[in-house]
């Protein structure tokens, strides 16, 4: 979304069009910052999901090991 190669003159590329962020209205700049925060939170939550999935897999392996010696119910 943004080009951080020149921090003093950041560029926004939005829908294929480039804009100088410093020249955009304050409301647009606030929206861009909000989108950056949202993107960071999306990544963080995605990472959290991956950690939870690994934990769940580990618990399933532990349960499988514990159930090895148990007698299943007959249907």
């Amino acid at each position: 979304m943004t080009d951080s190669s020149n921090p003093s003159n950041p560029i926004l590329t939005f829908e294929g069009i480039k804009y100088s962020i410093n020249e955009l209205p304050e409301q647009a700049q606030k929206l861009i910052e909000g989108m950056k925060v949202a993107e960071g939170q999306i990544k963080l939550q995605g990472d959290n999901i991956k950690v939870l999935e690994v934990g769940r897999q580990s618990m399933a392996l532990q349960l499988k090991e514990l159930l090895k010696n148990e007698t299943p119910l007959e249907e």
Side-chain angles (χ1 to χ4, degrees):
M1 187 168 95
T2 59
D3 176 5
S4 58
S5 61
N6 186 355
S8 65
N9 185 28
I11 302 296
L12 166 71
T13 302
F14 186 75
E15 296 185 346
I17 302 169
K18 293 185 179 192
Y19 303 89
S20 172
I21 293 176
N22 294 337
E23 295 177 18
L24 293 174
E26 184 178 341
Q27 185 177 4
Q29 291 181 27
K30 287 181 180 180
L31 286 169
I32 292 165
E33 285 305 311
M35 290 175 72
K36 287 180 186 178
V37 170
E39 188 64 33
Q41 288 297 312
I42 290 168
K43 182 181 179 339
L44 177 66
Q45 296 308 319
D47 291 344
N48 286 339
I49 288 171
K50 289 175 188 172
V51 168
L52 291 169
E53 287 173 340
V54 168
R56 180 179 59 188
Q57 290 171 349
S58 174
M59 288 184 273
L61 290 172
Q62 291 175 47
L63 181 59
K64 182 178 181 177
E65 184 66 27
L66 286 172
L67 294 178
K68 246 192 325 193
N69 300 321
E70 296 297 320
T71 305
L73 295 174
E74 293 185 26
E75 291 187 32

